[in-house]
Amino acid sequence: MQPKTVHPESISAQALGWIDEATRAITPPIHVSSTYLRDADNQYRTGRVYARADNPAFDQAEAVLCQLEHGAQALLFASGMAAATAVFQALAPGDHVLAPKVMYWSLRNWLMTFATHWGLQVELIDMTDPATVKAALRPGRTKLVWIETPANPLWTVTDIAATAQIAHDAGAFLAVDSTVATPVLTQPLALGADIVMHAATKYLNGHSDLIAGALVTRSDNEHWQRVRKVRAQLGGTLGSFEAWLLLRGMRTLHLRVRAACTSAQRIAEHFAAHAGVAEVLYPGLPHAPGHAVARAQMQGGVGGMLSIRVRGGEAAAIAVAANTQLWKRATSLGGVESLIEHRASVEGAGTPAPADLLRLSVGIEHAGDLIDDLEQALGTAHR
Ligand SMILES: Cc1ncc(COP(=O)(O)O)c(C=O)c1O
C-alpha cells in the first residue's frame, strides 16, 4: 500500500519504489543493449528502437527527477554541458537569448563562441536585477532567458518567480541551471520556470565518479520535442552504467545536500569575521545581496557552495589552497568530499572571479574538521 503523503526524501531514497518485475529485485538491472527487436510486422510497439535516442536505463532516474522537480518530462544527457547546450541548440539561428554575466564559465564560453557563430544573439546581463532583465528583453525576438541561481562563482541569487513573469510577459521562456540549489532546496518549475537543468555530475550523483546532465520540463511542447531530437541526433546520450550510478547517487540526495548546507552555513559564519579573509560570499549570510530572495525561494538552506576572498591577493589565495589537507584542491562541486579551487586560474580572461577568490564546495565531512583545516591553511599562508 502506498503511504498517503510521500515526501521527496522517500521518493529519492526508494527511487520511487520501483522493483524489477522479472526478478523482484529492488535495485534495477542495468540495460546495456544498444538496439531493440523489431516486431515481425515491421512495427516497434515498445517504442524503443536504438539506444542513442532512448534507453530503459534512463526511465527510473528520469521519473524520479520529474517527481522531485514537479515536471512533466525529464531527459538525461551525457553531461551537464550536453543538457544545457541542447536547450540552446533547439532554438533557431537569429533568436535572441539573455544569459547572466555571472554563470558557469564553460557554458558562458560556449554561448559567446559556438552559439553566436551558429547565429544565436546572446546578451549577457545582470540577472539579479529584474528591471535590467525587463529592459533587455526584446518582445517577439527574445526566445529564452537563461539563469543560474545561486550562480558560480560569486553565488549571486536570481528571483525565479519574478524573472519567469517578466520573461513570459515578453513571450520568452525561462530555463534555470539549478545545479547548486538541487531539487532539495528549490523547485524552479513550481516558481514559474519552464525548464530546469542540472549538471547531474554534481549533487544529484554526489560522489565525483560520474559525468551526467539532466533537463526537466514543465510541459511537453515544440521546443521540448526539439530538445529531445538534439539528444537523439547529436548523441549527447548518457551511458547505461552512468544512469544506474546516478539513480544510486540520488537515493541519498537529501541527506547529502542538507549536511552540506548546514556545514556551509557554519563555515561561512565562522570565516565572515576572520582576519585572513576579506569577504565571504554566501547567500546564507544576512548581509549578502541575495539573502532575502534566497531565503524566500529556497527551503532548508541556501546550498553547499561558498567563496572566500583571501587577504593578500592572488598569491595568498593560491597559498591557502596549497596548504589545505582535508579540502582537496580540485575543480567541480557537489561531491561528498570538500573541494577548494582558485577560480580565476580556471576561468581565465573575462572571469567575474576576483584574483583573491577561492571557491569552496562543502562536502559531508565534520564541519569542525573543515574549519580547522582552513584555519591552519590561512594561518600558514599569512605567516
Ligand atoms: C552550475 C554548473 N552548470 C553546468 C555545469 C556543466 O556540467 P558538466 O561538467 O557535467 O558538463 C557545471 C560544471 O561544473 C556547473 O557547475
Side-chain angles (χ1 to χ4, degrees):
M1 201 176 77
Q2 275 290 104
K4 234 169 57 196
T5 311
V6 181
H7 293 91
E9 294 87 330
S10 310
I11 290 170
S12 35
Q14 293 201 2
L16 277 170
W18 289 12
I19 53 143
D20 176 42
E21 287 302 340
T23 62
R24 310 295 285 163
I26 60 167
T27 59
I30 306 179
H31 292 279
V32 294
S33 189
S34 60
T35 192
Y36 305 91
L37 197 64
R38 197 187 267 276
D39 300 330
D41 61 358
N42 217 31
Q43 303 297 304
Y44 271 116
R45 283 190 187 74
T46 60
R48 310 224 190 251
V49 179
Y50 188 54
R52 174 156 36 74
D54 191 18
N55 185 339
F58 302 163
D59 291 357
Q60 203 167 350
E62 289 180 347
V64 169
L65 270 174
C66 261
Q67 291 265 328
L68 296 180
E69 290 287 10
H70 309 290
Q73 291 183 20
L75 288 169
L76 299 186
F77 286 82
S79 67
M81 280 298 286
T85 54
V87 176
F88 294 94
Q89 285 172 316
L91 298 172
D95 285 349
H96 178 241
V97 303
L98 295 175
K101 282 185 178 157
V102 177
M103 68 184 291
Y104 174 56
W105 73 288
S106 199
L107 183 58
R108 186 181 63 230
N109 282 353
W110 182 84
L111 284 172
M112 299 321 286
T113 53
F114 285 90
T116 49
H117 285 167
W118 184 63
L120 285 184
Q121 311 277 310
V122 183
E123 200 176 329
L124 302 182
I125 61 165
D126 174 9
M127 284 291 175
T128 63
D129 175 25
T132 304
V133 184
K134 201 169 183 167
L137 276 158
R138 303 184 201 159
R141 288 210 39 226
T142 311
K143 291 291 177 327
L144 168 66
V145 178
W146 179 275
I147 63 174
E148 178 181 328
T149 183
N152 264 291
L154 309 180
W155 317 114
T156 49
V157 175
T158 296
D159 186 329
I160 298 171
T163 312
Q165 184 67 55
I166 294 168
H168 292 162
D169 288 349
F173 66 93
L174 178 71
V176 182
D177 182 341
S178 197
T179 297
V180 169
T182 81
V184 178
L185 307 175
T186 312
Q187 297 89 44
L189 302 182
L191 294 169
D194 301 282
I195 290 184
V196 176
M197 176 255 152
H198 289 284
T201 310
K202 318 297 177 186
Y203 290 100
L204 292 185
N205 178 60
H207 294 79
S208 306
D209 52 10
L210 163 71
I211 300 283
L215 296 175
V216 188
T217 185
R218 191 146 59 98
S219 65
D220 186 9
N221 53 40
E222 219 184 304
H223 176 264
W224 182 254
Q225 284 309 318
R226 283 201 299 276
V227 168
R228 192 178 274 285
K229 283 186 185 147
V230 169
R231 185 181 77 169
Q233 295 175 7
L234 272 67
T237 316
L238 194 63
S240 299
F241 180 56
E242 285 72 15
W244 185 89
L245 268 182
L246 174 59
L247 186 70
R248 188 179 68 161
M250 285 197 297
R251 290 178 190 267
T252 54
L253 175 67
H254 291 77
L255 291 176
R256 289 185 285 99
V257 169
R258 291 217 176 96
C261 282
T262 306
S263 295
Q265 182 72 38
R266 195 172 145 195
I267 292 165
E269 285 168 8
H270 181 92
F271 289 101
H274 192 281
V277 175
E279 191 182 4
V280 174
L281 305 175
Y282 186 61
L285 294 176
H287 67 265
H291 180 70
V293 175
R295 284 279 180 234
Q297 74 183 13
M298 303 180 81
Q299 310 97 39
V302 300
M305 296 302 300
L306 67 146
S307 295
I308 59 171
R309 297 187 63 184
V310 177
R311 272 195 211 287
E314 179 167 13
I318 290 172
V320 169
N323 286 320
T324 55
Q325 283 161 17
L326 197 56
W327 296 83
K328 296 291 174 276
R329 239 174 357 267
T331 197
S332 201
L333 59 99
V336 289
E337 66 291 297
S338 294
L339 303 181
I340 188 164
E341 185 178 36
H342 182 250
R343 203 58 201 163
S345 302
V346 176
E347 300 196 9
T351 178
D356 57 6
L357 181 143
L358 292 175
R359 188 180 83 171
L360 307 179
S361 171
V362 179
I364 63 166
E365 305 92 337
H366 193 284
D369 292 345
L370 293 171
I371 289 172
D372 288 351
D373 190 33
L374 257 188
E375 279 281 7
Q376 70 75 23
L378 279 158
T380 316
H382 284 87
R383 213 165 276 159

